[in-house]
C-alpha cells in the first residue's frame, strides 16, 4: 500500500473559499450548544478547509466511529462512552498551555476554533488490534505551540484530560480503572510534526462527547491511546512526562507507542488488525498492520538510529 | 425446605431439555444478530466475548449444584450434566469463533497465540480438559468408571479456575466483572474444602434431633 504523499502546495491554494470556517455560523452553533446541551453538541456543524492529508481508503461509518470507543472516563465497555457521556458539558472550555514556554496562556475554545481548521482523513489504529479511517477536523498542534513560544529547554509535551467525576461516571465509584487525570506525552519534535493535530470535530461536526469533546489529540502513526481526549492542559517539559497506560503496564504500553506490526503486545499480535465496520461477520475485515500505521515516509526520520523494539 | 415448590416428577425430563434449549438461546441470538449485521462495532469480537462469558457462566452454574443441595437441600442434580455440557459447547463455540471468524483460520497466528500468550494457553488447556469430561457425561461412562468418574470430573474445578483467570487476563484492566467471577469460583472451590466436615456435622445434628425431637424445637 503506498503511503500518501502530501502535495507540495499550500492548503490555501487548493482550498475553495467556501470551505473556510464560517465564523458566524459557528458562533450560532456554539450558542446552540450552551442552550441545547449535549444533543446539539453532536450536531453542531463545523467548517474546515480540505487538506492533502487524506488516506485513500473507505471511511469508517460515522455510526461506528461514534459508538465504538475507548474512553475509560465514561466506562470500560466499547459502548459505554456513547451511552454514559450525555451529561458531559464540553462548553464552556479552555485549555491551559504552560511549562517551559515564553508566553503561557489559557486558550478559550472559541479562540482555538478560530485557528485554521482542516479536514484530515487519517487511519486510527487502536492498540487492541482494531482500526478505523476517520475524517477529523482540527488544526496543527505546532500552530498552537508557536503561539506560546517554547523555550530551548523544552523537549517534551505533556497533556492532561479533564477530571469531572460528576459528569464522567468512570471517574467516580468504587471501581476506577485508571488513576486520573489521564495523561499522555510526546517528544517535542513529534508534537510539532505536521501530521499531529488537535482535533475539534469529525465528519464535519464538532466532536461528540464520546470521541473526546471538545478537543483531543490525534497522532495517526501511534496507537490510539496516545490520542488523549477532552484536553484541559498542555505543558512543555524537559523530561519525558508520565503517561497513564505506560505507568499502568510498562511492558504492554511504551512511551512511544508507535504502530509497529513487528512488536507484539504481550497478549496479542500486532501484525494484523480488524477494520471496524467492514467485512461484517464472515468477510475478511482483517488486514496487515503497516509500520507507523502507513505513515513511514513521513515519520520514520523522527526515530532514525533508534531500536524500535526497545523503544516501543 | 417445604418453601421451595417441587417440580412434579413427570416434568423432570422435559425441564432438562428445556434447559438445553434455553441455554443455546444467547449463542443463537448473537449469531443471528451478527450474521445480519446487527451487532455493534466489532461484531466478531462481540460474538466471541459473549460466547466466552456464557461459557464461564455455565461453568460457575455447574459448580453451584452441589452447594445448593448441601446447604438448601435443593436437588438439582438432574441439571448438572446439561449445565456442564452447555459450558463445553460454549467454550467450543468460543474457540471456533476465534479460529474461523476472528483469525480467519490463519493457523500460524493461532498456534503462536496458543503457545505464546499465557491467557490463551490457559484457555486452551481448559478446553482440552473439558473434552474428557464431555465425553464421559453419560450414564454408561458413570457406570463403567465408577469411583474414577468422580475423580475425573474434579477437573471441573481446575477448568472453572482456569476460565476465570483467562477472563481476568484477557482484559486490559481487571474490573468488577472479572473480580466477580474470580470471587464466585474461589467461593465454590472453597466450599469443596469445607464440605466434608460440614456434611458430617449436619448428619450428626440430624441424627441427634431425630432421637430427641424436643431439642429440635428448642434449637429452632
Ligand atoms: C474454559 C474455557 C474458556 C472460557 C470460560 C473463556 C472465556 C472467555 C472470556 C469470558 C473472555 C473475555 C471476553 C471479554 O473480554 O468480555 C475470553 C476472551 C478470549 N478468549 Fe476465551 N475462554 C475459554 C477458552 C478459550 C480458548 C480455548 C481460546 C482459544 C484458544 C480462547 C481465546 C480467547 C481470546 C483470543 C479472547 C480475547 C478476545 C479478544 O478480546 O481479543 N478462550 N474468553
Amino acid at each position: 500500500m503506498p503511503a500518501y504523499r502530501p502535495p507540495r502546495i499550500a492548503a490555501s491554494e487548493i482550498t475553495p473559499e467556501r470551505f473556510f470556517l464560517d465564523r458566524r455560523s459557528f458562533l450560532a452553533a456554539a450558542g446552540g450548544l450552551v442552550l441545547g446541551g449535549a444533543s446539539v453538541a453532536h450536531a453542531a456543524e463545523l467548517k474546515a478547509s480540505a487538506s492533502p492529508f487524506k488516506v485513500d481508503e473507505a471511511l469508517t461509518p460515522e455510526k461506528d466511529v461514534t459508538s465504538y470507543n475507548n474512553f475509560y472516563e465514561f466506562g470500560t465497555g466499547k459502548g459505554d462512552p456513547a451511552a454514559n457521556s450525555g451529561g458531559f458539558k464540553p462548553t464552556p472550555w479552555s485549555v491551559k498551555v504552560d511549562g517551559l514556554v515564553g508566553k503561557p496562556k489559557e486558550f478559550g475554545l472559541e479562540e482555538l476554533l478560530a485557528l485554521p481548521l482542516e479536514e484530515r482523513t487519517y487511519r486510527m489504529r487502536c492498540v487492541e488490534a482494531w482500526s478505523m479511517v476517520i475524517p477529523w477536523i482540527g488544526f496543527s498542534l505546532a500552530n498552537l505551540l508557536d503561539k506560546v513560544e517554547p523555550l530551548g529547554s523544552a523537549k517534551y509535551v505533556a497533556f492532561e484530560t479533564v477530571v469531572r467525576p460528576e459528569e464522567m461516571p468512570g471517574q467516580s465509584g468504587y471501581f476506577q480503572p485508571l488513576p486520573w487525570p489521564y495523561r499522555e506525552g510526546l517528544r517535542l519534535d513529534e508534537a510539532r510534526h505536521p501530521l499531529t493535530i488537535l482535533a475539534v470535530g469529525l465528519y464535519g461536526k464538532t466532536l461528540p462527547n464520546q470521541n473526546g469533546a471538545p478537543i483531543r489529540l490525534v497522532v495517526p502513526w501511534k496507537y490510539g491511546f496516545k490520542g488523549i481526549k477532552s484536553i484541559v492542559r498542555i505543558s512543555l517539559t524537559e523530561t519525558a512526562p508520565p503517561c497513564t497506560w505506560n505507568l499502568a503496564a510498562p511492558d504492554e504500553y511504551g512511551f512511544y507507542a508507535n504502530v509497529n506490526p513487528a512488536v507484539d503486545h504481550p497478549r496479542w499480535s500486532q501484525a494484523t488488525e480488524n477494520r471496524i465496520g467492514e467485512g461484517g461477520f464472515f468477510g475478511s475485515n482483517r488486514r496487515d498492520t503497516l509500520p507507523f500505521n502507513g505513515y513511514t515516509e513521513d515519520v520514520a526520520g523522527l526515530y532514525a538510529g533508534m531500536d524500535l523494539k526497545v523503544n516501543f | 425446605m417445604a418453601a421451595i415448590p417441587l417440580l412434579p416428577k413427570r416434568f423432570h425430563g422435559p425441564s432438562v431439555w428445556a434447559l438445553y434449549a434455553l441455554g443455546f438461546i444467547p449463542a443463537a441470538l448473537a449469531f443471528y444478530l451478527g450474521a445480519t449485521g446487527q451487532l455493534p462495532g466489532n461484531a466478531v469480537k462481540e460474538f466471541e466475548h459473549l460466547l466466552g462469558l456464557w461459557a464461564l457462566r455455565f461453568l460457575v452454574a455447574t459448580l453451584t449444584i452441589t452447594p445448593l443441595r448441601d446447604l438448601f437441600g435443593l436437588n438439582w442434580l438432574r441439571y448438572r450434566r446439561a449445565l456442564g455440557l452447555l459450558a463445553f459447547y460454549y467454550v467450543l463455540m468460543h474457540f471456533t469463533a476465534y479460529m474461523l471468524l476472528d483469525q480467519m483460520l490463519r493457523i500460524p497466528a493461532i498456534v503462536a497465540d496458543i503457545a505464546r500468550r499465557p491467557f490463551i494457553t490457559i484457555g486452551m488447556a481448559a478446553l482440552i480438559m473439558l473434552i474428557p469430561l464431555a465425553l464421559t457425561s453419560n450414564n454408561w461412562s458413570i457406570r463403567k468408571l465408577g469411583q474414577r468418574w468422580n475423580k475425573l470430573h474434579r477437573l471441573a474445578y481446575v477448568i472453572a479456575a482456569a476460565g476465570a483467570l483467562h477472563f481476568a487476563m484477557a482484559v486490559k484492566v481487571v474490573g468488577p466483572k472479572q473480580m466477580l467471577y474470580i470471587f464466585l469460583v474461589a467461593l465454590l472451590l472453597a466450599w469443596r474444602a469445607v464440605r466434608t466436615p460440614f456434611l458430617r456435622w449436619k448428619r450428626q445434628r440430624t441424627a441427634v434431633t431425630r432421637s430427641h425431637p424436643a431439642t429440635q424445637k428448642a434449637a429452632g
Side-chain angles (χ1 to χ4, degrees):
Chain A
M1 192 170 304
Y4 83 92
R5 222 178 291 266
R8 307 274 171 240
I9 22 168
S12 56
E13 280 180 55
I14 54 167
T15 305
E17 193 86 34
R18 67 193 160 81
F19 277 124
F20 280 111
L21 174 71
D22 175 345
R23 286 210 64 184
R24 192 167 310 167
S25 70
F26 166 69
L27 290 176
L33 295 185
V34 178
L35 296 174
S39 60
V40 183
H42 294 216
E45 249 181 71
L46 204 55
K47 296 237 171 83
S49 61
S51 152
F53 295 98
K54 190 175 190 331
V55 290
D56 200 11
E57 287 170 34
L59 297 182
T60 302
E62 186 177 357
K63 162 180 77 66
D64 293 316
V65 174
T66 58
S67 65
Y68 194 77
N69 308 99
N70 276 326
F71 195 171
Y72 282 16
E73 281 83 343
F74 293 113
T76 55
K78 295 287 182 289
D80 289 347
N84 302 336
S85 64
F88 184 74
K89 297 182 193 71
T91 52
W93 195 271
S94 63
V95 181
K96 186 193 243 177
V97 188
D98 61 2
L100 302 174
V101 297
K103 291 185 173 167
K105 185 176 168 181
E106 187 146 354
F107 292 87
L109 183 60
E110 310 70 38
E111 234 175 313
L112 298 172
L113 287 162
L115 292 171
L117 298 184
E118 285 179 36
E119 182 164 86
R120 305 254 187 126
T121 303
Y122 285 156
R123 291 182 205 95
M124 205 284 294
R125 170 62 158 80
C126 179
V127 73
E128 297 166 356
W130 52 267
S131 64
M132 296 183 176
V133 177
I134 305 173
W136 300 106
I137 290 174
F139 55 86
S140 165
L141 175 57
N143 202 338
L144 180 67
L145 294 177
D146 284 343
K147 294 191 190 305
V148 295
E149 299 177 4
L151 302 178
S153 52
K155 298 280 181 296
Y156 293 89
V157 184
F159 303 84
E160 222 176 272
T161 296
V162 73
V163 179
R164 286 190 192 163
E166 60 298 343
E167 293 176 26
M168 301 174 122
Q171 287 183 338
S172 59
Y174 291 111
F175 169 75
Q176 294 184 33
L178 293 168
W180 314 113
Y182 191 90
R183 294 171 202 276
E184 260 307 335
L186 295 172
R187 239 170 38 193
L188 185 57
D189 57 343
E190 297 175 319
R192 299 191 64 95
H193 192 279
L195 282 171
T196 305
I197 59 167
L198 288 177
V200 292
L202 56 81
Y203 264 106
K205 285 165 272 185
T206 51
L207 280 180
N209 289 343
Q210 61 268 34
N211 293 84
I215 185 164
R216 63 167 293 167
L217 181 68
V218 177
V219 195
W221 71 92
K222 291 177 181 285
Y223 291 121
F225 69 86
K226 294 296 284 186
I228 182 169
K229 303 182 175 91
S230 306
I231 299 169
V232 287
R233 184 163 175 215
I234 301 175
S235 295
L236 283 87
T237 62
E238 189 162 5
T239 53
C243 300
T244 298
W245 279 108
N246 179 237
L247 290 179
D251 55 326
E252 300 185 12
Y253 314 101
F255 171 78
Y256 286 97
N258 293 321
V259 175
N260 189 346
V263 176
D264 282 356
H265 184 279
R267 281 176 287 138
W268 55 84
S269 161
Q270 296 290 28
T272 60
E273 66 202 46
N274 275 311
R275 184 58 58 83
I276 302 296
E278 262 177 36
F281 215 40
F282 306 110
S284 172
N285 60 353
R286 261 206 197 258
R287 55 180 71 217
D288 287 342
T289 289
L290 306 171
F292 295 111
N293 205 19
Y295 300 95
T296 303
E297 275 190 32
D298 305 278
V299 301
L302 293 170
Y303 310 103
M306 278 173 63
D307 184 345
L308 296 175
K309 295 207 166 164
V310 179
N311 298 289
F312 59 89
Chain B
M1 286 305 115
I4 299 165
L6 288 175
L7 191 69
K9 194 139 185 150
R10 69 200 142 100
F11 292 132
H12 284 185
S15 71
V16 172
W17 290 108
L19 177 57
Y20 277 113
L22 283 175
F24 280 110
I25 286 177
L29 193 65
F31 183 82
Y32 168 76
L33 291 176
T36 52
Q38 296 179 71
L39 283 182
N42 199 340
V44 169
K45 289 278 184 214
E46 291 285 324
F47 184 56
E48 188 180 334
H49 289 178
L50 177 138
L51 294 171
L53 202 52
W54 277 97
L56 195 49
R57 286 177 181 150
F58 283 121
L59 285 174
V60 167
T62 310
L63 294 188
T64 54
I65 297 295
T66 296
L68 281 182
R69 190 181 48 173
D70 295 343
L71 290 167
F72 307 110
L74 199 57
N75 193 350
W76 279 358
L77 209 58
R78 60 182 168 277
Y79 303 119
R80 194 169 66 182
R81 182 185 295 167
L83 290 170
L85 283 172
L86 279 167
F88 170 68
Y89 292 132
Y90 269 87
V91 175
L92 205 58
M93 290 189 283
H94 176 64
F95 178 61
T96 309
Y98 159 78
M99 277 205 312
L100 294 183
L101 303 179
D102 189 351
Q103 294 292 349
M104 314 285 309
L105 268 185
R106 292 170 317 131
I107 303 294
I110 295 170
V111 172
D113 265 1
I114 293 173
R116 287 216 308 268
R117 324 245 174 246
F119 90 97
I120 299 185
T121 314
I122 291 171
M124 197 64 211
L127 170 56
I128 289 171
M129 286 186 280
L130 272 166
I131 294 171
L133 302 201
L135 288 176
T136 54
S137 286
N138 51 68
N139 296 341
W140 182 81
S141 298
I142 294 173
R143 247 178 286 122
K144 201 81 186 153
L145 292 173
Q147 233 1 77
R148 280 174 304 160
W149 188 93
N150 283 321
K151 266 209 184 117
L152 177 65
H153 280 250
R154 273 184 217 146
L155 268 183
Y157 308 150
V158 184
I159 293 165
L165 191 63
H166 166 84
F167 184 24
M169 290 170 75
V171 295
K172 285 211 296 200
V173 178
V174 177
K177 241 189 188 169
Q178 291 77 28
M179 299 293 239
L180 173 69
Y181 284 98
I182 289 177
F183 172 76
L184 284 176
V185 170
L187 197 67
L188 290 167
L189 296 197
W191 178 249
R192 269 66 188 183
V194 297
R195 182 172 180 253
T196 314
F198 171 83
L199 289 180
R200 194 181 309 128
W201 170 79
K202 198 170 143 186
R203 220 176 301 121
Q204 275 165 6
R205 202 185 60 157
T206 348
V208 169
T209 47
R210 248 194 225 126
S211 49
H212 305 279
T215 46
Q216 190 180 16
K217 276 232 168 77

